[in-house]
Amino acid sequence: MAWSFSFGRVLGSELKVHVTFFLLLAWVGFAAYSGGGWPAAVENILFVLALFACVVAHEFGHALMARRYGIRTPDITLLPIGGLARLERMPENPMQEVWVALAGPAVNVVIWALLVVLGAGIQLGSLSQLDSAGTDLLSRLAYVNLLLAAFNMIPAFPMDGGRVFRALLCLKMERVKATRIATLAGQIVAFGLGFMGLTSGNPILVLIAVFVFISASSENQDVALRSVARRVMARDAMITEFRALSPDDTLATAAQAVIHTTQHEFPVLSQEGELVGFVTRDRLFAALAADHPRSDSAVSVMETDIPKVKLTSGLNKVLDGLHKGAPAVAVCTRSGRMVGYITRENIGELMVIQGR
Ligand SMILES: [Zn+2]
């Protein structure tokens, strides 16, 4: 995610903090300071930091459970509205998804139990005491962990509870249909949360509602896409009419190609027709804007890490390649000659044509 700072690798995942999280800290500190001076500001900032440590632990609950099923988590990002563990892929086995989803909230329950053992009060009158600096930090933290577990178990896809809901539906019906139902339920709940947030003047709740709403529909599309993808072969989706560059071409030639075609990415092919890399319009424009001489070789701005698939590979393999950030996936014959390539855009077109 853009605007995130890396805090290094923890347990095999990169831990990132989004810049808006620091805004939240500043806001919490300032609000407490204007109410109760420095001691309140420091205490509230400590509370938010401790709270987010619990959120990180929650995300690692998901990540470590996913790893048991051979799914890696490249990074975990902290946002003001919570954490986001980006799994390399979603488990498609329903019971695996249930365990991965439950592992997060389970961590918060364990933290709650530990804090109670350490002497946190179990009873807290109401939510309003939560942000009053009078209540001791330990009790507030214990309570908020219970809240986190409960909140995440709301069956609003793609929140944890919604994932469990979808997985249980999957046991009874097809995955695409189950996702569509879970998404609809998630969006209804998101509307409810947004309404609650607006009427009670809670901006964080409104943000969460917007986030749930948007990510529910994008994941719904992704699942639909993958189900089509498994039935389509790379050769049926690939672009076969394209302009290619040769390794001797210059930036000027590549710039001409951008103007004279509708392509945004140009394969660089050797004389034998083997793929050397891709020159993308964005990279080319960046080089020209940085005053690279136009006589420079186009190869100097080329991306070389391009996934290759066979003509008969499933489109789901292509999606995995694109998901990792490649501008295109090359389709090659057995002898290594590139005969076509696939971009995100033409998969989108394929979806429209294939219908659902
Ligand atoms: Zn979670």
Side-chain angles (χ1 to χ4, degrees):
M1 194 172 285
W3 287 96
S4 299
F5 295 94
S6 176
F7 273 47
R9 294 186 77 78
V10 183
L11 294 171
S13 301
E14 193 182 358
L15 186 60
K16 296 198 235 174
V17 178
H18 196 258
V19 66
T20 48
F21 177 66
F22 297 106
L23 276 181
L24 174 78
L25 273 189
W27 178 64
V28 165
F30 180 74
Y33 173 76
S34 44
W38 280 115
V42 169
E43 192 187 329
N44 272 356
I45 289 180
L46 275 181
F47 175 65
V48 172
L49 286 177
L51 168 60
F52 271 82
C54 297
V55 172
V56 171
H58 170 115
E59 297 305 326
F60 272 110
H62 293 308
L64 295 179
M65 185 61 86
R67 192 176 304 167
R68 285 194 48 187
Y69 301 120
I71 301 167
R72 287 184 306 133
T73 309
D75 54 56
I76 290 174
T77 306
L78 272 190
L79 297 162
I81 55 170
L84 204 66
R86 198 165 59 88
L87 301 190
E88 189 182 43
R89 62 185 169 84
M90 287 296 162
E92 295 208 351
N93 172 328
M95 283 326 283
Q96 288 184 0
E97 178 158 33
V98 168
W99 293 123
V100 171
L102 288 180
V107 167
N108 294 113
V109 172
V110 169
I111 294 177
W112 168 77
L114 283 178
L115 290 175
V116 168
V117 169
L118 286 177
I122 303 182
Q123 280 178 340
L124 209 66
S126 69
L127 220 103
S128 60
Q129 275 173 271
L130 203 60
D131 49 3
S132 67
T135 324
D136 73 296
L137 210 61
L138 214 57
S139 302
R140 283 162 76 193
L141 207 55
Y143 184 69
V144 93
N145 267 286
L146 268 195
L147 264 186
L148 267 180
F151 186 76
N152 275 288
M153 285 312 292
I154 294 176
F157 186 77
M159 282 166 57
D160 300 334
R163 289 192 183 283
V164 173
F165 178 51
R166 197 252 313 253
L168 295 179
L169 287 178
C170 275
L171 294 174
K172 290 254 168 274
M173 62 182 81
E174 203 213 346
R175 189 174 169 84
V176 176
K177 193 175 170 200
T179 307
R180 209 176 302 150
I181 294 173
T183 301
L184 186 66
Q187 292 185 324
I188 290 170
V189 175
F191 257 117
L193 289 179
F195 185 75
M196 267 167 61
L198 285 175
T199 49
S200 64
N202 186 337
I204 300 278
L205 208 51
V206 177
L207 268 181
I208 291 177
V210 171
F211 173 78
V212 167
F213 196 90
I214 293 174
S215 46
S217 65
S218 90
E219 198 155 325
N220 184 29
Q221 278 169 6
D222 193 57
V223 169
L225 189 65
R226 273 177 192 277
S227 115
V228 171
R230 228 166 300 148
R231 297 192 297 257
V232 178
M233 278 189 258
R235 67 163 180 232
D236 300 320
M238 68 185 183
I239 299 171
T240 50
E241 288 184 27
F242 53 87
R243 167 85 196 272
L245 298 171
S246 93
D248 312 320
D249 282 335
T250 60
L251 292 182
T253 317
Q256 285 294 320
V258 168
I259 291 168
H260 294 312
T261 68
T262 53
Q263 284 170 243
H264 290 179
E265 51 284 305
F266 297 87
V268 179
L269 299 180
S270 71
Q271 234 156 21
E272 293 75 36
E274 280 170 16
L275 180 72
V276 190
F278 263 84
V279 172
T280 63
R281 189 179 65 162
D282 292 347
R283 283 238 190 159
L284 179 68
F285 283 2
L288 295 177
D291 282 334
H292 282 250
R294 282 161 178 268
S295 55
D296 271 8
S297 163
V299 170
S300 65
V301 298
M302 183 176 74
E303 285 188 44
T304 50
D305 197 14
I306 305 295
K308 295 184 177 112
V309 297
K310 286 184 286 206
L311 281 155
T312 50
S313 298
L315 214 53
N316 45 333
K317 236 179 139 182
V318 175
L319 284 175
D320 290 339
L322 292 173
H323 191 68
K324 283 176 193 146
V329 170
V331 185
C332 302
T333 62
R334 212 163 286 168
S335 62
R337 212 161 50 82
M338 191 191 96
V339 283
Y341 66 91
I342 299 173
T343 64
R344 218 164 266 121
E345 217 180 333
N346 74 304
I347 287 190
E349 288 166 354
L350 185 83
M351 284 297 288
V352 175
I353 293 167
Q354 292 251 336
R356 280 165 47 190

